[in-house]
Protein backbone atom coordinates (compact mmCIF):
# COMPACT_ATOMS: atom_id res chain seq x y z
CA UNK A 1 0.00 0.00 0.00
CA UNK A 2 2.78 2.41 0.95
CA UNK A 3 4.70 1.64 -2.26
CA UNK A 4 1.69 2.58 -4.41
CA UNK A 5 1.35 5.85 -2.48
CA UNK A 6 5.05 6.57 -2.97
CA UNK A 7 4.76 5.91 -6.71
CA UNK A 8 1.77 8.20 -7.08
CA UNK A 9 3.47 10.97 -5.10
CA UNK A 10 6.63 10.53 -7.18
CA UNK A 11 4.63 10.82 -10.38
CA UNK A 12 2.92 13.97 -9.10
CA UNK A 13 6.29 15.48 -8.20
CA UNK A 14 7.49 14.92 -11.77
CA UNK A 15 4.34 16.40 -13.30
CA UNK A 16 4.74 19.80 -11.68
CA UNK A 17 4.00 22.91 -13.64
CA UNK A 18 7.66 23.90 -13.77
CA UNK A 19 8.79 20.53 -15.16
CA UNK A 20 6.02 20.52 -17.77
CA UNK A 21 6.90 24.07 -18.83
CA UNK A 22 10.55 23.10 -19.29
CA UNK A 23 9.62 19.93 -21.18
CA UNK A 24 7.20 21.84 -23.41
CA UNK A 25 9.77 24.51 -24.24
CA UNK A 26 12.37 21.86 -25.04
CA UNK A 27 9.92 19.99 -27.28
CA UNK A 28 8.97 23.19 -29.11
CA UNK A 29 12.61 24.18 -29.66
CA UNK A 30 13.59 20.73 -30.95
CA UNK A 31 10.58 20.70 -33.27
CA UNK A 32 11.40 24.16 -34.60
CA UNK A 33 15.01 23.19 -35.30
CA UNK A 34 13.88 19.98 -37.00
CA UNK A 35 11.51 21.87 -39.30
CA UNK A 36 14.10 24.55 -40.07
CA UNK A 37 16.74 21.99 -40.97
CA UNK A 38 14.73 19.48 -42.99
CA UNK A 39 11.50 21.12 -44.24
CA UNK A 40 13.17 22.71 -47.28
CA UNK A 41 12.92 20.56 -50.40
CA UNK A 42 13.57 20.96 -54.09
CA UNK A 43 10.59 21.99 -56.26
CA UNK A 44 8.63 18.99 -57.53
CA UNK A 45 10.12 16.56 -55.00
CA UNK A 46 8.31 14.85 -52.12
CA UNK A 47 9.38 14.71 -48.52
CA UNK A 48 11.14 11.44 -47.56
CA UNK A 49 9.19 8.99 -45.44
CA UNK A 50 11.41 9.43 -42.37
CA UNK A 51 10.79 13.17 -42.34
CA UNK A 52 6.99 12.91 -42.70
CA UNK A 53 6.83 10.19 -40.05
CA UNK A 54 8.93 12.30 -37.66
CA UNK A 55 6.65 15.31 -38.08
CA UNK A 56 3.66 13.18 -37.09
CA UNK A 57 5.50 11.97 -33.98
CA UNK A 58 6.46 15.52 -33.02
CA UNK A 59 2.85 16.63 -33.42
CA UNK A 60 0.87 13.68 -32.03
CA UNK A 61 2.68 13.26 -28.72
CA UNK A 62 2.07 16.82 -27.46
CA UNK A 63 -1.64 16.54 -28.25
CA UNK A 64 -1.81 13.26 -26.33
CA UNK A 65 0.10 14.80 -23.41
CA UNK A 66 -2.20 17.83 -23.40
CA UNK A 67 -5.25 15.53 -23.36
CA UNK A 68 -3.89 13.65 -20.32
CA UNK A 69 -3.11 16.86 -18.44
CA UNK A 70 -6.60 18.21 -19.16
CA UNK A 71 -8.01 14.90 -17.94
CA UNK A 72 -6.07 15.39 -14.67
CA UNK A 73 -7.63 18.84 -14.30
CA UNK A 74 -11.09 17.40 -14.94
CA UNK A 75 -10.65 14.82 -12.19
CA UNK A 76 -9.42 17.36 -9.65
CA UNK A 77 -12.17 18.98 -7.53
CA UNK A 78 -9.81 21.88 -6.82
CA UNK A 79 -9.79 23.34 -10.34
CA UNK A 80 -11.06 26.89 -10.02
CA UNK A 81 -12.08 27.50 -13.63
CA UNK A 82 -14.44 24.51 -13.63
CA UNK A 83 -13.96 20.84 -14.37
CA UNK A 84 -16.16 20.85 -17.48
CA UNK A 85 -13.95 23.52 -19.01
CA UNK A 86 -11.02 21.15 -19.04
CA UNK A 87 -13.19 18.23 -20.03
CA UNK A 88 -14.10 20.07 -23.24
CA UNK A 89 -10.53 21.16 -23.99
CA UNK A 90 -9.19 17.70 -23.13
CA UNK A 91 -11.66 15.98 -25.44
CA UNK A 92 -10.63 18.42 -28.15
CA UNK A 93 -6.97 17.48 -27.67
CA UNK A 94 -7.77 13.77 -27.70
CA UNK A 95 -9.88 13.92 -30.87
CA UNK A 96 -7.17 16.00 -32.54
CA UNK A 97 -4.68 13.26 -31.64
CA UNK A 98 -6.98 10.60 -33.15
CA UNK A 99 -7.46 12.72 -36.27
CA UNK A 100 -3.70 13.06 -36.74
CA UNK A 101 -3.28 9.31 -36.48
CA UNK A 102 -5.94 8.68 -39.12
CA UNK A 103 -4.57 11.35 -41.44
CA UNK A 104 -1.08 9.90 -41.03
CA UNK A 105 -2.33 6.46 -42.08
CA UNK A 106 -4.17 8.02 -45.01
CA UNK A 107 -1.11 9.94 -46.17
CA UNK A 108 1.86 7.73 -45.28
CA UNK A 109 0.42 4.22 -45.55
CA UNK A 110 -2.06 4.63 -48.39
CA UNK A 111 -0.07 7.38 -50.11
CA UNK A 112 -3.12 9.64 -50.55
CA UNK A 113 -3.33 13.40 -50.21
CA UNK A 114 -7.09 13.98 -50.46
CA UNK A 115 -9.04 17.17 -49.87
CA UNK A 116 -11.24 15.30 -47.38
CA UNK A 117 -10.41 12.20 -45.37
CA UNK A 118 -12.05 10.34 -42.43
CA UNK A 119 -9.74 12.34 -40.15
CA UNK A 120 -11.73 15.50 -40.88
CA UNK A 121 -14.67 14.07 -38.92
CA UNK A 122 -12.50 13.99 -35.78
CA UNK A 123 -10.95 17.37 -36.55
CA UNK A 124 -14.42 18.95 -36.60
CA UNK A 125 -15.34 17.26 -33.30
CA UNK A 126 -12.10 18.52 -31.74
CA UNK A 127 -12.92 22.12 -32.72
CA UNK A 128 -16.42 21.77 -31.26
CA UNK A 129 -15.03 20.41 -27.97
CA UNK A 130 -12.36 23.11 -27.66
CA UNK A 131 -14.92 25.82 -28.39
CA UNK A 132 -17.32 24.32 -25.86
CA UNK A 133 -14.64 24.31 -23.15
CA UNK A 134 -13.62 27.91 -23.83
CA UNK A 135 -17.24 29.10 -23.83
CA UNK A 136 -17.74 27.46 -20.43
CA UNK A 137 -14.71 29.40 -19.20
CA UNK A 138 -16.27 32.71 -20.33
CA UNK A 139 -19.95 32.26 -19.37
CA UNK A 140 -19.67 32.24 -15.54
CA UNK A 141 -17.56 35.43 -15.56
CA UNK A 142 -18.71 38.95 -16.10
CA UNK A 143 -16.59 40.51 -18.81
CA UNK A 144 -15.93 44.00 -17.47
CA UNK A 145 -13.68 45.02 -20.32
CA UNK A 146 -12.81 48.62 -21.06
CA UNK A 147 -13.60 50.17 -24.43
CA UNK A 148 -9.94 49.86 -25.45
CA UNK A 149 -10.05 46.14 -24.73
CA UNK A 150 -13.27 45.70 -26.71
CA UNK A 151 -11.65 47.66 -29.53
CA UNK A 152 -8.68 45.27 -29.45
CA UNK A 153 -11.00 42.27 -29.65
CA UNK A 154 -12.84 43.90 -32.55
CA UNK A 155 -9.62 44.59 -34.46
CA UNK A 156 -8.39 41.02 -33.96
CA UNK A 157 -11.76 39.69 -35.10
CA UNK A 158 -11.77 41.96 -38.17
CA UNK A 159 -8.26 40.91 -39.19
CA UNK A 160 -9.07 37.24 -38.65
CA UNK A 161 -12.27 37.46 -40.67
CA UNK A 162 -10.54 39.39 -43.47
CA UNK A 163 -7.80 36.79 -43.79
CA UNK A 164 -10.34 33.96 -43.68
CA UNK A 165 -12.49 35.56 -46.39
CA UNK A 166 -9.43 36.15 -48.58
CA UNK A 167 -8.38 32.51 -48.24
CA UNK A 168 -11.90 31.25 -48.93
CA UNK A 169 -12.79 33.52 -51.86
CA UNK A 170 -9.39 34.00 -53.52
CA UNK A 171 -9.75 32.88 -57.17
CA UNK A 172 -7.27 30.20 -58.26
CA UNK A 173 -4.58 31.27 -60.69
CA UNK A 174 -5.04 29.71 -64.10
CA UNK A 175 -2.14 27.38 -64.80
CA UNK A 176 -1.80 25.29 -67.95
CA UNK A 177 -1.22 21.60 -67.64
CA UNK A 178 1.97 20.00 -68.88
CA UNK A 179 0.18 18.38 -71.84
CA UNK A 180 -1.35 21.69 -72.97
CA UNK A 181 1.95 23.53 -72.52
CA UNK A 182 3.95 20.96 -74.51
CA UNK A 183 1.31 20.94 -77.26
CA UNK A 184 1.38 24.77 -77.47
CA UNK A 185 5.17 24.84 -77.65
CA UNK A 186 5.18 22.17 -80.34
CA UNK A 187 2.65 24.14 -82.40
CA UNK A 188 4.71 27.31 -82.07
CA UNK A 189 7.82 25.49 -83.24
CA UNK A 190 5.91 24.16 -86.24
CA UNK A 191 4.75 27.64 -87.31
CA UNK A 192 8.24 29.13 -87.01
CA UNK A 193 10.16 26.41 -88.88
CA UNK A 194 13.40 27.92 -90.20
CA UNK A 195 14.67 24.75 -91.82
CA UNK A 196 13.27 21.56 -93.41
CA UNK A 197 15.05 19.48 -90.76
CA UNK A 198 13.16 21.24 -87.96
CA UNK A 199 9.88 20.86 -89.85
CA UNK A 200 10.41 17.13 -90.19
CA UNK A 201 11.21 16.78 -86.51
CA UNK A 202 8.18 18.72 -85.34
CA UNK A 203 5.43 17.43 -87.66
CA UNK A 204 4.82 14.15 -85.76
CA UNK A 205 4.48 16.10 -82.49
CA UNK A 206 1.93 18.50 -83.95
CA UNK A 207 -0.21 15.57 -85.08
CA UNK A 208 -0.99 14.71 -81.43
CA UNK A 209 -4.41 16.11 -80.56
CA UNK A 210 -5.58 17.23 -77.10
CA UNK A 211 -8.17 14.45 -76.99
CA UNK A 212 -5.49 11.82 -77.49
CA UNK A 213 -3.43 13.37 -74.72
CA UNK A 214 -6.46 13.33 -72.41
CA UNK A 215 -7.08 9.64 -73.11
CA UNK A 216 -3.49 8.73 -72.19
CA UNK A 217 -3.57 7.24 -68.68
CA UNK A 218 -1.47 9.01 -66.02
CA UNK A 219 1.65 7.43 -64.58
CA UNK A 220 0.09 7.15 -61.10
CA UNK A 221 -2.82 5.00 -62.25
CA UNK A 222 -1.14 1.63 -61.57
CA UNK A 223 -0.38 2.68 -57.98
CA UNK A 224 -4.02 3.64 -57.31
CA UNK A 225 -5.20 0.17 -58.28
CA UNK A 226 -3.17 -1.30 -55.40
CA UNK A 227 -5.33 0.49 -52.84
CA UNK A 228 -8.24 -1.33 -51.18
CA UNK A 229 -11.57 -0.76 -52.87
CA UNK A 230 -13.15 0.71 -49.73
CA UNK A 231 -10.40 3.35 -49.54
CA UNK A 232 -10.98 4.40 -53.16
CA UNK A 233 -14.76 4.51 -52.76
CA UNK A 234 -14.54 6.43 -49.48
CA UNK A 235 -12.12 8.91 -51.01
CA UNK A 236 -14.50 9.55 -53.92
CA UNK A 237 -17.51 9.86 -51.60
CA UNK A 238 -15.82 12.42 -49.34
CA UNK A 239 -14.25 14.53 -52.08
CA UNK A 240 -17.38 16.68 -52.80
CA UNK A 241 -17.38 17.88 -49.17
CA UNK A 242 -14.09 19.75 -49.60
CA UNK A 243 -15.46 23.27 -50.01
CA UNK A 244 -18.02 22.87 -47.22
CA UNK A 245 -15.38 21.63 -44.78
CA UNK A 246 -13.04 24.48 -45.67
CA UNK A 247 -15.81 26.93 -44.80
CA UNK A 248 -16.53 25.10 -41.51
CA UNK A 249 -12.84 25.15 -40.53
CA UNK A 250 -12.55 28.86 -41.26
CA UNK A 251 -15.67 29.64 -39.18
CA UNK A 252 -14.31 27.63 -36.24
CA UNK A 253 -10.87 29.25 -36.54
CA UNK A 254 -12.31 32.76 -36.45
CA UNK A 255 -14.65 31.86 -33.59
CA UNK A 256 -11.84 30.40 -31.49
CA UNK A 257 -9.67 33.43 -32.28
CA UNK A 258 -12.35 35.79 -30.94
CA UNK A 259 -12.96 33.69 -27.83
CA UNK A 260 -9.23 33.43 -27.14
CA UNK A 261 -8.78 37.19 -27.46
CA UNK A 262 -11.65 37.79 -25.05
CA UNK A 263 -10.28 35.27 -22.53
CA UNK A 264 -6.80 36.77 -22.78
CA UNK A 265 -8.08 40.25 -21.89
CA UNK A 266 -10.57 39.01 -19.28
CA UNK A 267 -7.94 37.05 -17.33
CA UNK A 268 -5.18 39.61 -17.80
CA UNK A 269 -3.50 40.31 -14.47
CA UNK A 270 -5.61 37.86 -12.47
CA UNK A 271 -4.49 34.93 -10.37
CA UNK A 272 -5.03 32.49 -13.24
CA UNK A 273 -3.67 34.83 -15.91
CA UNK A 274 -0.66 32.69 -16.83
CA UNK A 275 -2.61 29.54 -17.67
CA UNK A 276 -5.15 31.37 -19.84
CA UNK A 277 -2.44 33.33 -21.59
CA UNK A 278 -1.05 29.99 -22.67
CA UNK A 279 -4.50 28.83 -23.80
CA UNK A 280 -4.97 32.01 -25.83
CA UNK A 281 -1.50 31.66 -27.38
CA UNK A 282 -2.31 28.03 -28.22
CA UNK A 283 -5.47 29.13 -30.03
CA UNK A 284 -3.54 31.80 -31.95
CA UNK A 285 -0.98 29.16 -33.00
CA UNK A 286 -3.76 26.86 -34.16
CA UNK A 287 -5.24 29.69 -36.21
CA UNK A 288 -1.87 30.48 -37.84
CA UNK A 289 -1.27 26.80 -38.66
CA UNK A 290 -4.75 26.33 -40.15
CA UNK A 291 -4.61 29.50 -42.23
CA UNK A 292 -1.10 28.68 -43.41
CA UNK A 293 -2.23 25.21 -44.45
CA UNK A 294 -5.14 26.61 -46.44
CA UNK A 295 -2.98 29.26 -48.15
CA UNK A 296 -0.32 26.77 -49.18
CA UNK A 297 -2.96 24.29 -50.31
CA UNK A 298 -4.63 26.94 -52.47
CA UNK A 299 -1.28 27.95 -54.00
CA UNK A 300 -0.39 24.32 -54.72
CA UNK A 301 -3.73 23.71 -56.44
CA UNK A 302 -3.27 26.90 -58.49
CA UNK A 303 -0.01 25.44 -59.79
CA UNK A 304 -1.66 22.13 -60.59
CA UNK A 305 0.09 20.38 -57.69
CA UNK A 306 -0.95 18.70 -54.45
CA UNK A 307 -0.02 20.15 -51.08
CA UNK A 308 2.11 17.85 -48.94
CA UNK A 309 2.03 18.25 -45.18
CA UNK A 310 5.29 18.91 -43.40
CA UNK A 311 5.90 22.54 -44.34
CA UNK A 312 7.47 25.03 -41.96
CA UNK A 313 4.15 26.48 -40.78
CA UNK A 314 3.05 23.02 -39.58
CA UNK A 315 5.28 23.61 -36.56
CA UNK A 316 2.54 25.90 -35.21
CA UNK A 317 0.34 22.82 -34.71
CA UNK A 318 3.05 21.55 -32.34
CA UNK A 319 3.25 24.94 -30.62
CA UNK A 320 -0.51 24.85 -30.11
CA UNK A 321 -0.47 21.44 -28.44
CA UNK A 322 2.51 22.37 -26.24
CA UNK A 323 0.84 25.61 -25.12
CA UNK A 324 -2.42 23.80 -24.29
CA UNK A 325 -0.42 21.33 -22.17
CA UNK A 326 1.46 24.12 -20.38
CA UNK A 327 -1.79 25.99 -19.73
CA UNK A 328 -3.39 22.90 -18.20
CA UNK A 329 -0.36 22.27 -15.98
CA UNK A 330 -0.21 25.86 -14.74
CA UNK A 331 -3.93 25.84 -13.96
CA UNK A 332 -3.53 22.66 -11.92
CA UNK A 333 -0.60 24.06 -9.95
CA UNK A 334 -2.25 27.38 -9.15
CA UNK A 335 -5.52 25.71 -8.13
CA UNK A 336 -3.74 23.18 -5.91
CA UNK A 337 -1.62 25.83 -4.18
CA UNK A 338 -4.55 28.16 -3.57
CA UNK A 339 -6.51 25.40 -1.80
CA UNK A 340 -3.56 24.02 0.20
CA UNK A 341 -2.46 27.32 1.73
CA UNK A 342 -5.39 28.86 3.64
CA UNK A 343 -5.00 32.19 5.37
CA UNK A 344 -3.84 32.09 8.97
CA UNK A 345 -5.92 33.72 11.64
CA UNK A 346 -4.19 36.40 13.58
Amino acid sequence: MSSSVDKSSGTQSLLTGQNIVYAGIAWAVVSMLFFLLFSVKAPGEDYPFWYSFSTYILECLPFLGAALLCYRNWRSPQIASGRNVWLGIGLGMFFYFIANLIFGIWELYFGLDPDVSPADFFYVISYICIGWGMILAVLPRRLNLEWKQWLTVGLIAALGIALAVWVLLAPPVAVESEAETSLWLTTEQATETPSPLLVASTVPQVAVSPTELAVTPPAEAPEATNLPSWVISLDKALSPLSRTLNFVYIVFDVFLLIIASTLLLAFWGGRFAQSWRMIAAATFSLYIADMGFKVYDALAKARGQEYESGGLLDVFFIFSAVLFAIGAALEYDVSSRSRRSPRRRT
Side-chain angles (χ1 to χ4, degrees):
M1 183 69 180
S2 60
S3 61
S4 61
V5 174
D6 293 339
K7 289 181 180 179
S8 61
S9 60
T11 304
Q12 292 296 330
S13 62
L14 289 176
L15 295 178
T16 60
Q18 185 177 13
N19 291 340
I20 293 173
V21 169
Y22 289 153
I25 293 174
W27 193 274
V29 171
V30 170
S31 301
M32 186 66 183
L33 292 175
F34 182 82
F35 275 81
L36 288 174
L37 290 174
F38 303 111
S39 64
V40 180
K41 62 177 182 177
E45 292 186 0
D46 295 333
Y47 287 117
F49 178 82
W50 63 267
Y51 172 79
S52 299
F53 182 77
S54 300
T55 58
Y56 277 105
I57 295 297
L58 291 173
E59 185 177 341
C60 287
L61 291 182
F63 276 107
L64 180 60
L68 295 176
L69 291 174
C70 292
Y71 174 72
R72 183 180 68 167
N73 289 4
W74 174 64
R75 291 194 61 187
S76 175
Q78 300 174 349
I79 293 298
S81 57
R83 296 173 59 188
N84 289 332
V85 172
W86 295 101
L87 175 63
I89 297 176
L91 288 175
M93 297 294 100
F94 179 73
F95 282 119
Y96 214 99
F97 167 73
I98 297 297
N100 280 341
L101 289 181
I102 297 174
F103 192 80
I105 295 173
W106 219 250
E107 184 179 33
L108 299 182
Y109 183 76
F110 292 126
L112 296 174
D113 189 17
D115 296 330
V116 183
S117 70
D120 289 283
F121 175 75
F122 294 94
Y123 282 129
V124 171
I125 295 178
S126 70
Y127 278 103
I128 294 174
C129 292
I130 295 173
W132 171 55
M134 297 179 72
I135 289 175
L136 290 178
V138 175
L139 288 179
R141 294 167 177 80
R142 296 179 180 179
L143 299 178
N144 297 322
L145 302 181
E146 300 179 357
W147 68 270
K148 294 182 180 179
Q149 294 175 321
W150 283 117
L151 181 60
T152 303
V153 174
L155 290 176
I156 293 175
L159 291 175
I161 293 172
L163 178 60
V165 170
W166 177 78
V167 172
L168 185 64
L169 301 181
V173 180
V175 178
E176 296 179 342
S177 62
E178 295 181 1
E180 294 175 349
T181 304
S182 61
L183 179 63
W184 179 80
L185 291 175
T186 305
T187 307
E188 288 294 321
Q189 291 176 357
T191 56
E192 299 177 1
T193 52
S195 65
L197 181 60
L198 185 59
V199 172
S201 61
T202 56
V203 167
Q205 298 179 1
V206 178
V208 180
S209 63
T211 55
E212 292 176 352
L213 289 173
V215 173
T216 304
E220 292 81 8
E223 296 181 359
T225 57
N226 296 329
L227 297 175
S229 59
W230 66 270
V231 173
I232 299 174
S233 60
L234 185 59
D235 184 44
K236 292 180 180 179
L238 294 176
S239 183
L241 301 176
S242 174
R243 191 170 183 82
T244 303
L245 275 176
N246 281 335
F247 178 77
V248 170
Y249 283 139
I250 288 176
V251 170
F252 277 128
D253 284 330
V254 173
F255 174 75
L256 291 180
L257 184 67
I258 296 172
I259 293 294
S261 305
T262 307
L263 281 174
L264 182 62
L265 296 175
F267 284 96
W268 193 270
R271 186 175 56 178
F272 300 94
Q274 287 186 342
S275 60
W276 287 102
R277 287 176 192 171
M278 297 298 105
I279 299 299
T283 308
F284 291 147
S285 298
L286 188 61
Y287 177 84
I288 293 173
D290 273 343
M291 289 296 110
F293 170 78
K294 290 175 177 58
V295 169
Y296 279 118
D297 184 56
L299 292 176
K301 289 180 179 178
R303 299 190 185 103
Q305 302 172 355
E306 290 184 355
Y307 176 75
E308 186 180 5
S309 61
L312 182 59
L313 285 181
D314 284 1
V315 75
F316 281 93
F317 287 116
I318 301 175
F319 292 165
S320 178
V322 169
L323 289 169
F324 272 117
I326 292 176
L330 292 177
E331 175 86 3
Y332 184 85
D333 270 13
V334 173
S335 300
S336 301
R337 273 191 262 119
S338 62
R339 298 297 176 88
R340 290 175 184 173
S341 55
R343 295 179 181 178
R344 296 181 180 180
R345 297 181 180 178
T346 57

